[in-house]
């Protein structure tokens, strides 16, 4: 028997609750109005290049990412720009945004909307990277890191492998799962595009074993692409985290504070590969994404192809609507996602799921004293000591937090998940990380 | 039997004497010479180690004072809880003239109470402002509002801040506040400000009870008493002492220029300006317009 | 998202794991054993309740089951011959002094049940060292029953008289008897089988780490085994040491106590090895025939140091290519 690949240290296995694994992707029509945030990605927000009253089409550039780490933003609908001011982000803060009133559904002329598969890649690696930047493609797994930045390999770093993330280890989420089933060939060509951009001979795809149909489809499809290998991985959270995935497939460890580039890898999500396919082969920038809209209370829960900027309320309506017993709406998955304070929050490039929890599911147990069970240490995939970091954060010993490598935390939430005393370990660790960053900045300046 | 007693006493006594000698030698050998003045100055300080002076406790501050006195300049050093009396006493000790310092107090600049800014969401996370602030906009949707979780109450070393369970906001008890600044540091939204207590026994103070820099309409949506940046108070004050300035849709009253006349209070359309005294009645003309509006 | 694991489920899980031991002690010592366990558990719960409710003025948390665990373990650690009032005193010390005085659940540096036991040993030495014979007056609630030495006590006595162990071999219980528990001793330490059933249950529920009991007993066997090979006339064989006395109970239920054992795996291995080493040293060279209690208590004192020095291996450190 061949040992199933996985990462060796820590990890948890929460109930998978993949309620929507069998629901095919449904297309959600554009709403009457979209609020497209200009800062949907990690890094500086894009600067608006349209004004109130401008007519835009699907795919028109509306925001330009000028900083090194930034991304372009395109109109996802056709219509008139209503305002260029602010809209609520997932945390409830008002952030710069372009609000567009929708009229019809007219696309930019140079976008190839036919369903034909284009396998021949004519673009050169430089062109691919430039166009990925132009198309505003960011990591579609949730972190939304500008993809083109990952492909700018600094001098002296050797990259040999492209790692494609089809793990989808968050419970409930099935968007990537459905993408791999329904857009297998496009994703594979997308991987070839990315592989060409990176100039490497090897691309590996990791998919957890709870998606046997996706593994089968991808493996079969990959027979035509000799440079792509597909691996089934043991189901374990947080396998979708970059460093854990590299360890699982390639058995390489990325040291704390370093990047996958340092061990010769670049990691991208399957959704990102599809977006790259769309831009390079079909000239279609990033305007929509598949979002899993799920929850036990939703009658029509499923996977929806949603235009970016569509308010959550509209997506929830399409999936069956709000019911009285819904207590919490989460953007993302239940482990790393954030509860949103308002349903007018728009879908962004990084919204992988919208999860509705009922009162019973959202119920929080009381926080009780730590009993030193050491479960948090056991499940931490980075080998940190969450109990200690929480204690240090409570007494604001930031220097010691730094000594205990709080910055290496990948914020997967395994410690908070497992803690029998229901302590908010990750919340305190996140505060520590902010404070330690501040402290380091203060000491260098 | 007696012999046993004697031997025991002698041997144990010997051990004790041996250790005493060792301890004495070590204490002499590793003695740290300390300026005796540090100890004496420490005695004059309140001894609560609040850290408001910016040094590590009262002895740390005393050390800094002695050092500063030797270099001939103690300006810039002050002990907020001890106030001017303490500093005058220390000044006399060193033979310096201390400039008189105003008595100050911590002031909360937010009126987002449960009734003025009703909760729109429920917060389930850890009950500390620091974390709530990092997670989301806050319970009432205002990104500048008090989070009502009481980090300031915990931080206050003098129990001078009490969370009012009705309004949800912290209240500063003037008699207990030493303006040490612990609340200023604790509040993740920078809602506290150390302001002069004001003249006279009544401690007349006026301040803008808001920190919201959003456009007026947005701010008002979340809170009835938000500053909407209309500028009426600025115009009223410009005729008197020009103490009010407007920046990013938010008015600010400079406490050193303000004479606490209270004339800005009634002109504020959202009641975002508060005073510690009964402000003067609005002018007749103003009242008429208010009546016609009603 | 939260796992199902709670403090309550952990503590009551340990209580369930203790039931086979409870059953074994009831079978061997009769209804008085049942009484003793009930008395200590009730006394522990009552002490915790009173302290939380009236001294600390907090909402009592006795329903989390941790006081019951302490109470049961305390009873299992003492002789059936101990009067009930002494058990109550031990329980009050265990909870009041060893646990609540240090801040309650999770913050106690020493295992409360063992502190209670140690306190009773120095306070009531006569009763604490009177060991009832098994299968005697099962239905009696009184202490008036036939007594004898524990197997480890028999060895200590023999060595003091200068007899070789082969001379008393016939009097010593066989390994099978030790395993099943038909011997004299503390209420809970007699049956290795019952402890193993409970331990297996806790491993299945993932309530304890495997390394602690294995390393504890392994170190004990290793050291006693070395001496046995060297001089079998003065030292009992390693299997005897593992099965006799409180080694099994200590290794599976006391050294694995979460609050008083290290947080990292490396730390736990060192901790357990230290427990095994000290147990062997006390048993072979110390004044007491049994040393598990003190071995664990001494190692408890080292836990903060171990936690500070032995940290879990970091991802990406050392193992990097």
């Amino acid at each position: 028997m061949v040992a199933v690949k996985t990462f060796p240290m820590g990890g948890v296995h929460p109930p998978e609750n993949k309620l929507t694994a069998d629901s095919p992707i449904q297309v959600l029509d554009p709403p009457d109005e979209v609020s497209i945030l200009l800062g949907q990605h990690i890094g500086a927000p894009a600067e608006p290049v349209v004004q109130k009253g401008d007519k835009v089409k699907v795919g028109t550039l509306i925001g330009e990412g000028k900083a090194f780490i930034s991304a372009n933003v395109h109109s996802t609908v056709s219509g008139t720009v209503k305002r260029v001011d602010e809209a609520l982000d997932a945390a409830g803060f008002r952030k710069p945004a372009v609000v567009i009133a929708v009229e019809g559904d007219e696309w930019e002329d140079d976008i190839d909307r036919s369903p034909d598969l284009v396998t021949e890649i004519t673009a050169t690696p430089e062109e691919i990277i430039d166009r990925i930047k132009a198309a505003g493609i960011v990591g579609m797994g949730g972190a939304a890191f500008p993809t083109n930045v990952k492909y700018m390999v600094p001098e002296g770093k050797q990259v040999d492998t492209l790692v494609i993330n089809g793990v989808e280890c968050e419970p409930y989420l099935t968007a990537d799962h459905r993408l791999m089933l329904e857009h297998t060939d496009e994703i594979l060509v997308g991987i070839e595009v990315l592989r060409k951009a990176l100039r490497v001979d090897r691309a590996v795809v990791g998919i957890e074993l709870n998606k046997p149909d996706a593994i089968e489809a991808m493996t079969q499809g990959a027979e035509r692409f000799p440079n792509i290998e597909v691996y089934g991985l043991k189901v374990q959270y947080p396998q979708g985290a970059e460093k854990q995935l590299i360890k699982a497939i390639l058995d390489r460890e990325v040291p704390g504070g370093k990047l996958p580039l340092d061990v010769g890898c670049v990691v991208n999500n399957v959704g990102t590969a599809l977006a790259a396919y769309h831009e390079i082969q079909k000239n279609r920038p990033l305007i929509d994404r598949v979002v899993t809209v799920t929850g036990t209370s939703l009658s029509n829960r499923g996977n929806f192809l949603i235009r970016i900027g569509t308010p959550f309320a509209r997506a929830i309506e399409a999936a069956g609507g709000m019911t009285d017993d819904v207590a919490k709406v989460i953007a993302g998955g239940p482990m790393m996602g954030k509860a949103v304070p308002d349903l007018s929050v728009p879908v962004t490039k990084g919204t992988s799921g919208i999860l509705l929890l009922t009162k019973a599911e959202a119920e929080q147990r009381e926080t009780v004293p730590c009993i030193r069970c050491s479960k948090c240490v056991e499940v931490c995939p980075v080998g940190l000591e969450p109990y200690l970091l929480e204690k240090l954060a409570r007494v604001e010993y930031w220097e010691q937090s730094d000594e205990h490598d709080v910055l290496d935390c990948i914020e997967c939430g395994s410690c908070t998940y497992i803690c029998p005393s229901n302590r908010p370990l990750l919340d305190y660790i996140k505060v520590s990380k902010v404070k330690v960053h501040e402290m380091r900045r203060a000491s260098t300046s | 039997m007696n012999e046993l007693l004697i031997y025991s006493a002698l041997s144990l006594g010997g051990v004790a004497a041996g250790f005493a000698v060792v301890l004495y030698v070590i204490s002499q050998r590793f003695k740290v010479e300390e300026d005796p003045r540090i100890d004496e100055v420490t005695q004059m300080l309140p001894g609560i180690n609040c850290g408001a002076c910016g040094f590590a406790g009262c002895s740390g501050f005393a050390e800094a004072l002695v050092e500063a006195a030797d270099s001939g300049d103690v300006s810039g050093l002050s002990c907020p809880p001890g106030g001017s009396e303490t500093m005058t006493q220390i000044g006399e000790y060193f033979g310096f003239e201390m400039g008189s310092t105003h008595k100050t107090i911590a002031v909360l600049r937010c009126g987002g109470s449960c009734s003025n800014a009703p909760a729109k969401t429920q917060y389930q996370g850890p009950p500390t402002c620091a974390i709530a602030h990092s997670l989301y906009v806050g319970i009432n949707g205002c990104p500048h509002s008090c989070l009502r979780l009481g980090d300031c109450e915990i931080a206050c070393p003098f129990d001078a801040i009490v969370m009012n369970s009705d309004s949800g906001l912290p209240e500063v008890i003037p008699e207990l506040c030493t303006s040490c600044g612990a609340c200023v540091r604790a509040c993740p939204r920078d809602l506290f400000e150390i302001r002069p207590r004001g003249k006279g026994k009544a401690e007349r103070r006026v301040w803008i009870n808001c920190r919201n820099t959003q456009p007026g309409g947005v701010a008002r949506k979340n809170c009835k008493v938000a500053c909407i940046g209309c500028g009426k108070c600025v115009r009223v004050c410009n005729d008197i002492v020009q103490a009010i300035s407007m920046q990013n849709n938010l008015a600010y009253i400079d406490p050193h220029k303000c004479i606490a006349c209270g004339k800005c209070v009634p002109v504020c359309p959202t009641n975002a300006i508060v005073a510690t005294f009964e402000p003067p009645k609005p002018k007749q003309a103003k009242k008429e317009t208010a009546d016609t509006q009603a | 998202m939260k796992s199902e694991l709670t403090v309550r489920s952990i503590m009551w899980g340990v209580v369930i794991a203790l039931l086979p031991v409870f059953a074994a002690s009831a079978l061997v010592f009769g209804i008085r054993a049942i009484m003793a366990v009930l008395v200590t558990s009730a006394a522990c719960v009552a002490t915790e309740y009173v302290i939380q409710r009236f001294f600390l003025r907090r909402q009592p948390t006795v329903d989390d089951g941790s006081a019951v665990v302490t109470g049961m373990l305390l009873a299992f650690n003492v002789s059936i011959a101990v009067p009930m009032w002494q058990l109550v005193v031990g329980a009050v010390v265990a909870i009041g002094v060893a646990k609540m005085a240090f801040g309650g659940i999770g913050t106690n540096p020493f295992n409360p049940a063992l502190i209670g036991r140690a306190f009773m040993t120095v306070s009531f030495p006569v009763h604490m060292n009177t060991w009832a014979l098994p299968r005697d007056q099962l239905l009696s609630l009184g202490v008036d029953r036939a007594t004898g030495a524990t197997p480890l006590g028999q060895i200590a006595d023999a060595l003091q008289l200068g007899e070789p162990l082969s001379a008393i071999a016939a009097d010593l219980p066989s390994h099978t008897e030790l395993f099943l528990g038909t011997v004299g001793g503390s209420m809970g330490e007699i049956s290795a089988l019952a402890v193993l059933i409970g331990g297996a249950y806790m491993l299945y529920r993932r309530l304890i780490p495997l390394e602690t009991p294995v390393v504890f007993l392994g170190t004990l066997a290793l050291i006693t085994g070395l001496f046995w090979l060297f001089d079998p006339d003065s030292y009992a064989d390693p299997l005897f040491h593992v099965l006799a006395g409180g080694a099994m109970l200590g290794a599976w239920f006391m050294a694995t106590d979460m609050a008083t054992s290290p947080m990292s795996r490396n730390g736990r291995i060192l901790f357990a090895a230290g427990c095994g080493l000290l147990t062997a040293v006390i048993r072979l060279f110390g004044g007491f025939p049994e040393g598990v209690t003190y071995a664990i208590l001494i190692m408890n004192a080292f836990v903060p140091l171990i936690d500070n020095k032995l940290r879990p291996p970091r991802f990406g450190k050392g193992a990097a290519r």
Side-chain angles (χ1 to χ4, degrees):
Chain A
M1 199 184 101
V2 184
V4 183
K5 285 183 182 251
T6 188
F7 61 99
M9 185 194 280
V12 290
H13 187 186
E16 291 164 26
N17 289 333
K18 304 270 191 188
L19 309 173
T20 52
D22 297 326
S23 323
I25 297 169
Q26 305 167 50
V27 178
L28 188 68
D29 289 333
D32 298 336
E33 186 183 293
V34 291
S35 317
I36 304 170
L37 289 167
L38 289 166
Q40 304 185 19
H41 44 266
I42 291 179
E47 287 165 31
V49 294
V50 287
Q51 284 167 354
K52 185 177 172 180
D54 285 2
K55 293 276 176 201
V56 291
K57 294 180 187 170
V58 178
T60 310
L61 185 73
I62 57 172
E64 205 177 329
K66 288 191 174 140
F68 177 64
I69 300 183
S70 186
N72 286 352
V73 178
H74 298 79
S75 175
T76 61
V77 291
S78 63
T80 314
V81 175
K82 212 169 152 189
R83 299 195 303 273
V84 180
D85 62 348
E86 291 175 325
L88 291 185
D89 73 355
F93 291 102
R94 293 178 65 85
K95 292 288 164 62
V98 175
V99 180
I100 300 168
V102 179
E103 295 147 15
D105 194 25
E106 203 181 326
W107 291 52
E108 287 282 353
D109 302 330
D110 50 0
I111 297 176
D112 175 6
R113 295 183 67 191
S114 70
D116 311 333
L117 185 74
V118 184
T119 45
E120 196 194 343
I121 304 163
T122 51
T124 65
E126 290 79 15
E127 275 170 20
I128 294 175
I129 295 175
D130 285 348
R131 286 178 59 192
I132 283 176
K133 179 171 169 60
I137 296 176
V138 301
M140 304 284 279
F145 186 81
T147 301
N148 64 299
V149 180
K150 284 189 184 178
Y151 284 76
M152 296 180 190
V153 182
E155 248 355 272
K157 295 243 160 104
Q158 283 293 315
V159 179
D160 55 22
T161 313
L162 170 68
V163 179
I164 295 295
N165 187 347
V167 170
E168 202 159 52
C169 57
E170 276 265 6
Y172 288 99
L173 302 189
T174 56
D176 291 350
H177 183 184
R178 293 309 305 181
L179 277 182
M180 287 187 283
L181 281 180
E182 297 176 35
H183 297 277
T184 318
D185 292 334
E186 284 114 308
I187 289 174
L188 287 165
V189 176
I191 296 171
E192 287 293 293
V193 168
L194 294 176
R195 194 174 63 76
K196 187 170 180 189
L198 203 58
R199 296 188 172 97
V200 295
D201 296 329
R202 188 182 181 207
V204 293
V205 185
I207 306 170
E208 283 194 342
L209 290 174
N210 56 3
K211 296 179 265 294
D213 44 355
I215 297 176
E216 201 193 318
M218 291 290 283
T219 312
Q220 267 178 14
E223 279 167 11
R224 287 178 291 126
F225 300 95
N227 293 317
I228 302 179
E229 302 155 35
V230 178
Y231 290 97
L233 306 173
K234 190 182 156 202
V235 182
Q236 183 157 253
Y237 182 89
Q239 194 139 242
E242 239 174 27
K243 296 181 177 182
Q244 274 59 40
L245 183 62
I246 295 171
K247 176 72 181 169
I249 302 181
L250 300 172
D251 195 27
R252 300 180 190 171
E253 277 191 21
V254 185
K258 299 278 183 179
L259 296 170
L261 274 179
D262 294 297
V263 294
C265 305
V266 165
V267 183
N268 272 130
N269 190 268
V270 286
T272 315
L274 183 62
Y277 167 81
H278 279 147
E279 166 62 17
I280 307 300
Q281 306 297 82
K282 311 287 259 185
N283 211 14
R284 177 177 179 270
L286 183 52
I287 54 149
D288 53 13
R289 68 158 298 141
V290 176
V291 180
T292 303
V293 186
T294 183
T296 47
S297 63
L298 287 171
S299 54
N300 186 32
R301 57 180 173 249
N303 304 290
F304 294 87
L305 183 68
I306 302 179
R307 301 286 173 94
I308 287 154
T310 305
F312 272 32
R314 165 111 174 105
I316 293 169
E317 203 182 293
M322 289 289 278
T323 45
D324 286 342
D325 58 344
V326 173
K328 217 179 199 178
V329 177
I330 293 173
M335 297 293 286
M336 287 183 78
K338 272 183 116 167
V340 295
D342 196 306
L343 290 185
S344 66
V345 164
V347 168
T348 65
K349 293 174 184 174
T351 309
S352 46
I354 298 174
L355 169 62
L356 273 63
L357 294 181
T358 61
K359 285 195 182 81
E361 288 164 334
E363 175 106 44
Q364 290 267 335
R365 292 197 304 263
E366 198 192 349
T367 295
V368 296
C370 169
I371 56 168
R372 290 174 52 84
C373 68
S374 77
K375 294 275 178 201
C376 55
V377 180
E378 196 181 298
V379 301
C380 180
V382 191
L384 301 175
E385 293 152 288
Y387 79 100
L388 182 66
L389 295 172
E390 187 217 356
K391 236 192 257 179
L392 292 173
R394 278 182 187 263
V395 293
E396 306 188 354
Y397 278 20
W398 309 126
E399 272 143 39
Q400 293 194 28
S401 303
D402 197 7
E403 278 166 31
H404 290 112
D405 300 318
V406 68
L407 294 184
D408 288 357
C409 172
I410 58 167
E411 304 185 13
C412 68
S414 297
C415 49
T416 305
Y417 168 78
I418 203 78
C419 180
S421 297
N422 193 28
R423 301 190 73 75
L425 299 166
L426 180 57
D427 292 316
Y428 276 96
I429 290 174
K430 280 183 183 166
V431 170
S432 296
K433 288 178 76 171
V434 173
K435 295 286 183 185
V436 169
H437 273 304
E438 272 173 21
M439 192 182 76
R440 283 194 173 184
R441 234 172 298 150
S443 67
T444 50
S445 62
Chain B
M1 195 66 198
N2 270 341
E3 252 171 47
L4 187 69
L5 267 179
I6 290 164
Y7 284 134
S8 311
L10 278 182
S11 58
L12 280 176
V15 169
F19 277 123
V21 169
V22 171
L23 281 175
Y24 177 77
V25 169
I26 290 175
S27 75
Q28 286 302 311
R29 184 94 211 269
F30 294 96
K31 197 170 174 182
V32 180
E33 284 298 336
E34 199 189 45
D35 194 326
R37 290 178 298 170
I38 293 175
D39 216 34
E40 287 177 47
V41 174
T42 310
Q43 295 299 319
M44 294 177 209
L45 292 168
I48 41 177
N49 299 315
C50 67
C53 50
F55 294 93
C58 291
S59 60
F61 184 54
E63 227 176 295
L65 274 170
V66 168
E67 217 168 276
D70 286 344
S71 68
D73 180 23
V74 286
S75 64
L77 294 175
S78 81
C79 171
S84 53
E85 292 139 47
T86 305
M87 289 312 288
T88 314
Q89 194 193 349
I90 292 170
E92 277 167 14
Y93 175 80
F94 287 121
F96 282 98
E97 188 67 39
M98 288 288 181
S100 69
T101 45
H102 284 291
K103 277 236 160 201
T104 49
I105 186 170
V107 171
L108 176 76
R109 295 175 293 172
C110 176
S113 63
C114 298
S115 52
N116 287 335
K120 295 190 171 131
T121 47
Q122 255 185 347
Y123 176 65
Q124 277 192 327
T128 86
C129 307
I131 288 175
H133 174 66
S134 71
L135 285 178
Y136 80 133
V137 68
I139 193 161
N140 51 26
C142 169
H144 301 273
S145 158
C146 171
L147 293 155
R148 305 182 191 161
L149 294 166
D151 277 15
C152 49
E153 185 183 32
I154 295 165
C156 181
F158 305 99
D159 295 335
I161 295 181
V162 178
M163 296 305 289
N164 182 324
S165 54
D166 292 328
S167 71
L169 298 177
E171 277 171 10
V172 179
I173 303 169
E175 295 79 46
L176 295 177
C177 179
T178 63
S179 68
C180 69
C183 49
V184 178
R185 289 187 294 275
C187 182
R189 296 197 157 171
D190 194 22
L191 294 177
F192 283 97
E193 187 189 13
I194 304 294
R195 292 175 76 95
R197 279 189 177 244
K199 299 195 179 68
K201 239 189 163 154
E203 298 193 349
R204 286 165 71 95
R205 319 184 266 282
V206 186
W207 70 93
I208 307 286
N209 202 26
C210 184
R211 292 277 291 155
N212 191 313
T213 55
Q214 291 174 314
V218 178
R220 266 310 284 280
K221 233 185 224 169
N222 294 321
C223 179
K224 272 191 253 172
V225 296
C227 172
I228 54 171
C230 66
K232 283 188 179 158
C233 52
V234 180
R235 285 194 289 281
V236 167
C237 198
N238 274 349
D239 297 339
I240 313 168
V241 287
Q242 299 92 39
I244 308 182
S245 56
M246 180 73 67
Q247 216 175 14
N248 299 327
N249 303 312
L250 178 66
Y252 176 75
I253 303 181
D254 183 344
H256 301 293
K257 288 186 189 160
C258 176
I259 54 169
C261 66
K263 289 197 176 129
C264 53
V265 179
V267 302
C268 178
T270 57
N271 297 320
I273 308 180
V274 294
T276 53
F277 52 91
E278 187 65 33
K281 290 269 184 300
K283 279 181 198 155
Q284 206 58 35
K286 171 83 189 161
K287 201 164 191 182
E288 269 164 29
T289 50
D291 283 345
T292 46
Q293 270 172 4
Chain C
M1 201 167 195
K2 284 296 294 180
S3 67
E4 298 291 313
L5 200 67
T6 63
V7 173
R8 206 168 294 181
S9 73
I10 290 175
M11 291 302 167
W12 287 108
V14 176
V15 171
I16 292 170
L18 280 166
L19 291 180
V21 185
F22 188 25
S25 70
L27 283 175
V28 174
F29 292 117
I31 56 169
R32 189 180 157 81
I34 301 176
M35 268 301 289
V37 170
L38 292 180
V39 164
T40 49
S41 303
C44 283
V45 171
T47 310
E48 185 160 316
Y49 183 89
V50 166
I51 290 177
Q52 287 182 326
R53 179 87 174 66
F54 299 106
F55 287 66
L56 304 173
R57 298 189 186 284
R58 275 190 220 141
Q59 184 64 33
T61 55
V62 287
D63 58 341
D64 65 19
S66 62
V68 179
V69 172
T70 303
M72 289 177 85
L73 282 174
L74 179 64
F76 292 156
N77 263 293
V78 298
S79 162
I80 189 79
V82 175
M84 293 296 167
W85 69 268
Q86 292 182 0
L87 288 175
V88 173
V89 171
V92 170
V93 169
I95 294 291
V97 175
K99 185 177 172 192
M100 298 315 290
F102 287 96
I105 186 165
T107 48
N108 47 307
F110 297 102
N111 187 315
L114 290 178
I115 291 281
R117 190 213 144 131
F119 178 83
M120 289 164 75
T121 311
V122 291
S123 307
F124 321 116
V126 176
H127 289 117
M128 285 295 286
N129 286 306
T130 307
W131 308 102
L133 290 183
R135 299 278 176 81
D136 179 50
Q137 304 185 34
L138 286 181
L139 297 177
S140 158
L141 267 176
V143 283
D144 184 25
R145 46 179 80 198
T147 59
T150 62
L152 284 168
Q154 283 173 289
I155 293 177
D157 291 344
L159 292 178
Q160 209 156 28
L161 296 173
E163 291 176 37
L165 288 188
S166 49
I168 59 160
D171 298 335
L172 283 177
S174 69
H175 288 150
T176 321
E177 284 173 308
L178 284 170
F179 184 69
L180 294 175
T182 51
V183 293
S186 298
M187 274 177 259
E189 72 183 25
I190 42 170
S191 169
L193 176 65
V195 173
L196 278 179
I197 295 173
Y201 173 76
M202 289 195 292
L203 280 179
Y204 168 73
R205 291 266 319 262
R206 305 189 67 175
L207 300 177
I208 59 167
L210 178 64
E211 61 264 16
T212 308
V214 167
V215 173
F216 188 153
L217 297 174
T219 313
L220 177 64
L222 184 76
I223 294 168
T224 53
L226 282 177
F227 281 96
W228 173 67
L229 284 177
F230 172 70
D231 182 5
D233 258 353
S234 308
Y235 301 104
D237 65 280
L239 193 57
F240 180 88
H241 272 290
V242 167
L243 293 175
M248 287 297 271
L249 187 72
W252 287 94
F253 284 98
M254 320 278 238
T256 55
D257 174 40
M258 290 169 168
T260 59
S261 58
M263 296 294 275
S264 71
R265 169 166 305 192
N266 296 342
R268 283 192 293 266
I269 290 172
L270 178 65
F271 170 83
C275 288
L277 172 72
L278 286 174
T279 303
V281 167
I282 296 173
R283 278 188 183 179
L284 298 181
F285 309 110
F288 293 105
E290 173 58 301
V292 175
T293 303
Y294 297 107
I296 297 176
L297 284 176
I298 291 168
M299 287 313 291
N300 283 165
F302 284 98
V303 166
L305 187 66
I306 293 173
D307 271 343
N308 200 19
K309 293 295 166 203
L310 281 181
R311 306 209 162 270
R314 288 284 145 76
F315 183 88
K317 285 210 174 135
R321 288 195 320 160

